[in-house]
């Protein structure tokens, strides 16, 4: 049977995985609720299915050998688990790999300290709590029906179209400083290679942190982007004076350094971009190229 990946919520990370797998002969089906996005998926070689909507999602699940769930949970829980959990469980016999994209936000705030996959889950934000519940729901379904579930906890994602350069160029970037604040990050190309490595080495029940080797304060990343562009450093603003949106403030509610040893030792991954300096340089080079 042809290896077929079904992505439930064909977003930024899922698209990167599709680009990595398709040259190796994979078929990729991507779900979207937007007819306009469905047309774009088709032009990229991804078979679109309108879901939620009138697309044949049952047929897509029956054809899939591998499923990636990247839709975010909301106030009503995980939308994929709620709507499709039973259908996915009914097809457990031919599903070789099931991946769920979560977040390192499940660990909560550690005052800049280190966390790994064994750290207790103590989220301090609503989004983190929703992800903990979603992880538990998928783990329960997998345990009950023998689904080969793998959970991936993603740090802050950046990559093409999601870097700091545009804000630095247009003068809207700021170096927001909060004492002791540090974030972990991951380039989308490394997300794709970790997911592909897991597909090649399935280990049902495994949980992986996806981040680079260099947790750093956010103001350092902005400063480095400005240096690469050869422009003056954006202004430094203290967190208390930054007038951030509630969403932006929530990112600063937690500070931690995330370990990534497991993706290296168990999946043999060598990061393409082991730190933000490498990742930003590659983004800028791709723009110029």
């Amino acid at each position: 049977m042809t290896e077929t990946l079904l992505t439930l919520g064909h977003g930024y990370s899922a698209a990167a995985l599709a680009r990595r797998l398709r040259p190796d002969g994979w078929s990729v089906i991507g779900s979207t609720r937007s007819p306009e996005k469905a047309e774009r998926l088709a032009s990229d070689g991804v078979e679109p299915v309108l879901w939620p909507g009138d697309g044949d999602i049952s047929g897509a699940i029956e054809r899939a050998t591998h499923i990636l769930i990247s839709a975010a949970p909301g106030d009503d829980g995980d939308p994929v688990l709620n709507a499709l959990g039973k259908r996915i469980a009914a097809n457990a016999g031919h599903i070789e790999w099931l991946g769920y994209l979560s977040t390192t936000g499940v660990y909560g705030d550690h005052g800049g300290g280190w966390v790994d996959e064994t750290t207790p889950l103590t989220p301090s934000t609503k989004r983190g709590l929703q992800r903990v519940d979603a992880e538990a729901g998928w783990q329960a379904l997998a345990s009950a029906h023998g689904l080969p579930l793998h959970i991936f906890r993603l740090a802050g994602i950046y990559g093409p179209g999601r870097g700091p350069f545009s804000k630095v160029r247009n003068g809207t970037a700021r170096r927001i400083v909060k004492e002791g604040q540090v974030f972990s990050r991951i380039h989308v190309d490394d997300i794709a290679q970790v997911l592909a490595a897991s597909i090649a080495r399935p280990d049902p029940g495994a949980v992986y942190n996806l981040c680079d080797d260099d947790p750093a304060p956010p103001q350092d990343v902005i400063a480095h982007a400005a240096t690469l562009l050869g422009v003056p450093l954006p202004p430094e603003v203290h967190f208390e004076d930054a007038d951030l949106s509630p969403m932006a403030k929530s990112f600063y509610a937690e500070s931690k350094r995330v370990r990534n040893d497991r993706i290296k030792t168990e999946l043999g991954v060598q990061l393409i971009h082991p730190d933000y300096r490498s990742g930003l340089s590659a983004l800028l080079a791709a723009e110029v190229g």
Side-chain angles (χ1 to χ4, degrees):
M1 181 168 60
T2 301
E3 290 178 312
T4 299
L5 172 70
L6 169 62
T7 63
L8 293 167
H10 194 86
Y12 192 66
S13 299
L17 177 61
R19 288 192 297 270
R20 190 177 182 97
L21 295 181
R22 286 189 59 253
D24 293 330
W26 282 69
S27 296
V28 180
I29 308 169
S31 80
T32 177
R33 65 180 67 223
S34 165
E36 292 76 19
K37 186 174 180 180
E39 293 181 4
R40 295 196 297 273
L41 294 185
S43 67
D44 290 337
V46 174
E47 179 184 336
V49 58
L50 287 172
W51 184 84
D54 58 1
D56 183 12
I57 198 67
S58 293
I61 292 171
E62 290 171 2
R63 291 165 53 198
T65 56
H66 299 70
I67 297 177
L68 178 68
I69 300 138
S70 59
D75 291 339
D76 297 326
D78 185 291
V80 178
L81 183 62
N82 290 345
L84 303 179
K86 291 181 180 179
R87 296 186 197 181
I88 291 171
N91 287 274
H94 68 80
I95 295 173
E96 300 173 19
W97 180 92
L98 177 67
Y100 177 72
L101 299 188
S102 185
T103 170
T104 56
V106 297
Y107 298 117
D109 179 39
H110 287 264
W114 287 96
V115 300
D116 63 20
E117 291 88 348
T118 67
T119 300
L121 306 186
T122 56
S124 58
T125 66
K126 181 179 178 180
R127 293 193 316 279
L129 287 165
Q130 290 172 339
R131 288 292 188 179
V132 169
D133 289 343
E135 284 190 16
W138 281 108
Q139 287 169 328
L141 187 76
S143 177
H145 298 278
L147 286 164
L149 177 67
H150 304 72
I151 291 175
F152 303 90
R153 294 174 179 155
L154 277 56
I157 303 170
Y158 73 103
R162 287 196 182 182
F165 292 122
S166 60
K167 287 186 176 181
V168 173
R169 286 185 174 114
N170 65 27
T172 61
R174 296 177 295 170
R175 290 180 294 144
I176 298 173
V177 179
K178 183 180 180 184
E179 186 176 354
Q181 187 71 41
V182 64
F183 294 134
S184 290
R185 297 163 188 80
I186 184 74
H187 192 290
V188 70
D189 289 348
D190 281 314
I191 295 174
Q193 79 146 333
V194 171
L195 296 177
S198 172
I199 287 171
R201 299 185 187 183
D203 182 16
V207 178
Y208 302 100
N209 289 334
L210 273 62
C211 59
D212 67 21
D213 296 335
D214 188 18
Q219 65 269 22
D220 290 4
V221 179
I222 296 295
H224 189 67
T227 300
L228 289 176
L229 291 173
V231 302
L233 297 186
E236 187 174 282
V237 181
H238 289 285
F239 174 75
E240 294 78 8
D241 304 322
D243 192 26
L244 297 171
S245 69
M247 175 69 79
K249 282 184 179 179
S250 71
F251 287 109
Y252 283 82
E254 300 176 347
S255 176
K256 55 185 165 287
R257 292 172 168 85
V258 183
R259 296 195 184 280
N260 61 11
D261 304 75
R262 187 172 287 180
I263 61 172
K264 298 174 181 178
T265 58
E266 297 186 8
L267 298 178
V269 167
Q270 290 186 325
L271 292 171
I272 303 166
H273 305 293
D275 55 49
Y276 68 87
R277 292 171 292 276
S278 166
L280 292 183
S281 294
L283 289 181
L284 189 59
E287 287 183 8
V288 174

